[in-house]
Amino acid sequence: MPLPLGDAYDYAAPEGLPLEPGDFVKVPLGPRQAIGVVWDKPLQETESGVSDEKLKAVLHRLPAPPMPPENRRLVEWISNYTLAPPGAVLRMAMSVPAALEPEKPRIAYALSEPIPDIRMTAARERVLSLLKDIPSLATADIVRETGVSAGVVKGLVQADALQAVVLPPDNRFATPDPECPGPDLSDAQADAVDALREAGDGFAVTLLDGVTGAGKTEVYFEAIADALRRGKQALVLLPEIALSAQWLDRFEARFGARPAEWHSDLSQRQRRKTWRSIAEGEVRVVVGARSALFLPYPELGLIVVDEEHESAFKQEDGVAYHARDMAIVRAQIGAFPILLASATPSLETVTNAESGRYTRLCLPTRHGSASLPDIQLLDLREDPPERQSWISPTLRDALADTLASGSQSLLFLNRRGYAPLTLCRACGHRLQCPNCTAWLVEHRFSARLQCHHCGYAGRKPDACGVCETKDSFVACGPGVERLAEEVMNFLPDARLCIATSDSIHRPSEAAAFVAQVLEGDIDIIVGTQIVAKGHHFPNLTLVGVVDADLGLSGGDLRAAERTYQLLHQVSGRAGRDDKPGRVVLQTYHPDHPVMIALAEGDRDGFLAAEAVARHAGGWPPFGRLAALIVSGNDGDAVAQTARDLAHGAPTGERVRVLGPAPAPLALLRGRHRWRLLLKVDRGISIQDVLRDWLPRIPVPNPVRVHVDIDPHSFL
Ligand code: ADP
Ligand code: ZN
């Protein structure tokens, strides 16, 4: 059952109902009915203890293709690895229950022949004349076209003036054609494609390593074409916003049809149709966010993980899993190849490539005449911005020059809103979220103070709640809205666009934004990380990073690595065509290894230094980590449970427990949070350690202990 249970439930198979593993079945569950999957074997060693006579019977089998065995093995594997109950993982693989039920027939109405003599009204007249030229229409369409009520249509049917017809199933998916002509590949691209062909169609992990704009996408398109020729389905995982119109257009240009999309913005109907068409093998290529991994492909033969280093692939809540890592598991279960593509691969992946577990294919230069941009470190101590502004004179000049030359610029700051902090000038009181350990962020365009963690939003109070001074609040620090204000002051004629997840969070909005930039309607983009990746804007030549140091602080193990990746990606937006690009990084730490590596283009040197540091401390990928997040509404009970966990913690030379300590986000959505970190040597099964440790510690009911294996967030 797709419920957070440790084991499968037992049901009797009624006589005359042959059942196979993977079949979806309706079963009684307490007072209600629920859908489950027939599993091959018990998930735990224990017997259920229900005698055969007492077993309830399966009600019926659902008319849907059974869950493929590979998906069942994946559910078991992820449950074992993440310690999440198998039913919780299964729920992710059964996210569209409606797709398992029989499809409702689609009914439309056509004119009867001949039309009987009926009482005419203006509304009836409109319907009949609409249908004169159209074979048939569904009620909803008739209503929309004519403005009459559904009752009018019903009346016409009862009067025999209209006839019901059953429509064939919904228009389905077009099939991508691998034989559509692709571009002529460069030598480096052709070599990479040949190497992939030689590697064959068995399980292998290949890292496609190439600078931004090197042409990695065209290379993996050829791998997809080969999978299609072999009669296989292919899956491309993209981090959230990269589900951009540009990628889909390129796919369509190469294959003559769009892939099926899978992300949170689909309607229930699209979801159902896509799920079903994948299960029936009709959809051949899927592009999606991490949850696309759990779709019921009967013939999957290739996975591509683009931007494999992206932390968006890690899910923190519920079942804490990393979609890139689980995609590798899925490829191994299905015995087919998987490609990881990135210009800034993660240290995990690079380490695996260096040890020979993964094959690495390199595309060292940008495609065609484009060259990598020139990256300049701007020392903010020597070239400071004016008071209450954030753009240094050098970057101002660069923006003005770029505008004058008719090219586009991107100003990058990874902070939404107007100001990250608002405080009372009189007493220093800071406006904080009532539910979280977080400051409220002022959003001036929507005239709201928002919490970026829980979604709390409110108006700015007229007076300070502590000292009661009126109009005493001041904005501290910049967000993108404030930066845009600054640019408008010194370049009043520039056409600006603020691009953040507030303004762009649906694929259609992303497409509109891309079209505006490509058509030259925008001179300067002021944006957060959502504009850092994937986009290809030929006329964009200047990238200004307002605060390059932003991601470096805080106790995150991957802070340096992530800053490098993000700034490299955003730099890669400049000069992607024949006009050369320029990047200005504003920093207070021009001597930091991340800044030096960025300026010198020395990615591998930076990664090597990171590896040495992590190796010395036994940090991933050279050691294993699991985070325990203890949370609940009662702060004392949470703290006590965290201490109890520490008391009963495993000991040993190769096992260490750090903490307990209040989490940096000590309050989140009203819940108190404490953290512990378990760190073990690579050779030790961290799951076994946890399976021995956790059941020994009593956890009072309202307190929750969440396990996050390979954590990426330490908040
Ligand atoms: P990456 O994925 O490595 O960042 P892309 O595949 O996006 O690079 O390629 C960058 C640009 O070069 C794109 O505009 C793409 O259309 C173009 N390009 C790549 N390979 C070719 C090719 N063989 N022929 C023509 N254009 C290409
Ligand atoms: Zn909050």
Side-chain angles (χ1 to χ4, degrees):
M1 306 303 302
L3 303 166
L5 305 166
D7 203 352
Y9 277 179
D10 289 342
Y11 287 92
E15 214 147 310
L17 182 66
L19 290 174
E20 297 285 338
D23 281 342
F24 292 100
V25 289
K26 198 62 71 66
V27 295
L29 185 74
R32 58 192 184 98
Q33 298 182 355
I35 298 175
V37 185
V38 177
W39 220 257
D40 323 40
K41 54 180 196 244
L43 293 159
Q44 290 183 343
E45 299 298 306
T46 52
E47 288 285 318
S48 75
V50 181
S51 65
D52 283 2
E53 307 83 73
K54 287 219 178 116
L55 280 184
K56 290 188 181 158
V58 166
L59 298 170
H60 61 266
R61 200 174 73 84
L62 291 159
M67 177 178 281
E70 293 85 355
N71 282 44
R72 305 202 299 275
R73 299 296 83 81
L74 184 68
V75 167
E76 289 165 357
W77 206 99
I78 294 180
S79 162
N80 248 317
Y81 189 82
T82 61
L83 299 191
V89 184
L90 178 62
R91 184 155 55 190
M92 300 196 294
M94 289 175 61
S95 58
V96 195
L100 306 170
E101 306 276 4
E103 194 166 4
K104 289 197 192 81
R106 297 195 309 141
I107 305 289
Y109 295 99
L111 291 187
S112 300
E113 238 160 306
I115 300 176
D117 235 356
I118 54 168
R119 186 176 56 83
M120 268 303 164
T121 62
R124 288 183 160 189
E125 200 86 69
R126 283 219 292 284
V127 175
L128 296 180
S129 81
L130 171 74
L131 283 168
K132 242 181 223 136
D133 308 320
I134 302 174
S136 67
L137 275 182
T139 302
D141 295 327
I142 297 175
V143 168
R144 199 187 50 236
E145 291 295 321
T146 59
V148 305
S149 74
V152 174
V153 178
K154 209 168 157 196
L156 283 167
V157 175
Q158 277 160 0
D160 279 333
L162 294 183
Q163 271 183 338
V165 290
V166 178
L167 293 180
D170 217 348
N171 65 318
R172 295 287 181 160
F173 291 88
T175 309
D177 177 4
E179 309 311 337
C180 276
D184 291 332
L185 297 181
S186 68
D187 287 348
Q189 286 174 322
D191 288 348
V193 170
D194 286 344
L196 289 174
R197 282 199 182 123
E198 264 161 45
D201 59 2
F203 172 67
V205 188
T206 304
L207 167 62
L208 259 185
D209 181 354
V211 296
T212 50
K216 299 182 290 294
T217 312
E218 301 298 338
V219 171
Y220 72 65
F221 278 178
E222 290 316 303
I224 293 172
D226 283 344
L228 293 175
R229 291 185 187 110
R230 290 197 297 270
K232 296 295 186 183
Q233 293 172 300
L235 164 65
V236 182
L237 294 177
L238 294 182
E240 243 97 29
I241 193 65
L243 275 176
S244 71
Q246 266 183 316
W247 191 95
L248 294 170
D249 289 346
R250 280 178 69 182
F251 186 94
E252 189 172 6
R254 171 63 185 82
F255 292 100
R258 287 171 104 74
E261 295 170 50
W262 191 262
H263 49 75
S264 53
D265 201 49
L266 297 184
S267 70
Q268 197 48 37
R269 230 173 91 87
Q270 288 169 314
R271 220 166 258 287
R272 182 190 188 287
K273 183 174 129 183
T274 308
W275 206 92
R276 188 91 195 182
S277 305
I278 291 169
E280 286 164 1
E282 189 192 310
V283 162
R284 307 311 295 175
V285 181
V286 177
V287 56
R290 58 193 180 209
S291 58
L293 192 59
F294 297 96
L295 293 170
Y297 313 92
E299 296 171 317
L300 194 57
L302 175 73
I303 301 180
V304 177
V305 184
D306 201 355
E307 312 289 5
E308 68 87 25
H309 60 278
E310 273 292 326
S311 46
F313 286 124
K314 179 72 200 297
Q315 172 158 309
E316 313 278 351
D317 304 329
V319 180
Y321 72 98
H322 198 300
R324 174 201 60 215
D325 298 346
M326 297 310 125
I328 293 171
V329 171
R330 178 68 182 80
Q332 190 160 26
I333 292 171
F336 57 73
I338 175 165
L339 303 182
L340 311 178
S342 176
T344 51
S346 62
L347 188 59
E348 278 82 356
T349 296
V350 168
T351 306
N352 279 322
E354 272 160 16
S355 75
R357 291 181 63 199
Y358 300 173
T359 309
R360 188 205 299 243
L361 298 175
C362 289
L363 295 176
T365 55
R366 279 197 162 175
H367 181 79
S369 59
S371 55
L372 281 171
D374 174 43
I375 298 183
Q376 174 194 351
L377 297 182
L378 190 143
D379 189 339
L380 283 170
R381 293 167 305 188
E382 285 174 8
D383 190 8
E386 286 168 23
R387 240 181 73 76
Q388 287 298 300
S389 66
W390 287 271
I391 303 172
S392 64
T394 307
L395 184 50
R396 280 190 181 203
D397 291 345
L399 285 164
D401 291 348
T402 309
L403 180 67
S405 73
S407 296
Q408 294 167 311
S409 306
L410 165 63
L411 259 191
F412 176 77
L413 177 67
N414 212 5
R415 265 193 183 141
R416 293 156 51 205
Y418 185 83
L421 168 66
T422 304
L423 59 72
C424 169
R425 187 189 292 117
C427 75
H429 172 62
R430 298 166 171 205
L431 289 179
Q432 242 197 331
C433 175
N435 315 314
C436 305
T437 316
W439 295 333
L440 290 174
V441 178
E442 181 180 358
H443 285 243
R444 213 159 260 196
F445 290 159
S446 59
R448 282 272 182 286
L449 290 161
Q450 286 184 18
C451 172
H452 287 177
H453 294 283
C454 71
Y456 169 91
R459 294 179 58 83
K460 186 152 63 170
D462 296 330
C464 175
V466 175
C467 71
E468 293 177 12
T469 312
K470 282 225 151 109
D471 294 327
S472 65
F473 288 115
V474 283
C476 298
V480 282
E481 291 179 4
R482 198 170 196 180
L483 266 191
E485 193 177 86
E486 184 179 341
V487 176
M488 279 186 270
N489 279 334
F490 67 86
L491 293 175
D493 295 333
R495 292 162 303 168
L496 294 192
C497 165
I498 298 179
T500 70
S501 56
D502 298 307
S503 54
I504 303 174
H505 61 269
R506 320 184 63 184
S508 55
E509 289 160 347
F513 162 72
V514 168
Q516 264 193 311
V517 179
L518 289 179
E519 279 159 25
D521 295 341
I522 291 169
D523 299 313
I524 302 176
I525 306 165
V526 184
T528 59
Q529 61 184 0
I530 70 155
V531 290
K533 11 194 149 152
H535 299 300
H536 185 72
F537 298 135
N539 197 33
L540 199 153
T541 58
L542 173 69
V543 168
V545 176
V546 174
D547 185 354
D549 310 327
L550 191 57
L552 285 175
S553 55
D556 190 323
L557 150 77
R558 295 182 182 82
E561 183 187 353
R562 250 190 230 143
T563 301
Y564 182 87
Q565 288 162 343
L566 181 59
L567 297 186
H568 181 93
Q569 290 286 341
V570 71
S571 302
R573 296 314 106 204
R576 290 174 68 91
D577 216 63
D578 45 10
K579 290 192 197 175
R582 175 179 177 197
V583 179
V584 178
L585 299 181
Q586 299 195 139
T587 173
Y588 283 103
H589 304 285
D591 310 326
H592 194 286
V594 168
M595 301 307 152
I596 294 173
L598 282 164
E600 294 180 354
D602 185 16
R603 184 197 82 186
D604 293 341
F606 168 72
L607 282 176
E610 266 296 292
V612 169
R614 294 226 208 136
H615 197 269
W619 298 104
F622 308 101
R624 298 184 185 281
L625 289 184
L628 300 182
I629 301 115
V630 188
S631 69
N633 294 326
D634 176 348
D636 292 337
V638 168
Q640 191 53 47
T641 306
R643 278 186 224 109
D644 290 346
L645 278 164
H647 258 288
T651 50
E653 225 173 89
R654 306 197 298 158
V655 176
R656 281 194 64 193
V657 174
L658 309 172
L665 264 172
L667 192 67
L668 178 64
R669 296 185 194 96
R671 289 172 74 85
H672 297 268
R673 302 166 79 246
W674 281 61
R675 297 184 71 107
L676 297 98
L677 195 62
L678 171 65
K679 185 171 161 211
V680 305
D681 275 13
R682 256 200 86 84
I684 293 182
S685 158
I686 202 162
Q687 287 83 5
D688 285 350
V689 175
L690 289 163
R691 274 192 275 260
D692 175 63
W693 174 20
L694 299 183
R696 287 192 282 109
I697 313 300
V699 177
N701 207 357
V703 175
R704 240 190 109 225
V705 179
H706 180 66
V707 178
D708 183 358
I709 307 275
D710 307 331
H712 275 234
S713 164
F714 297 87
L715 289 178

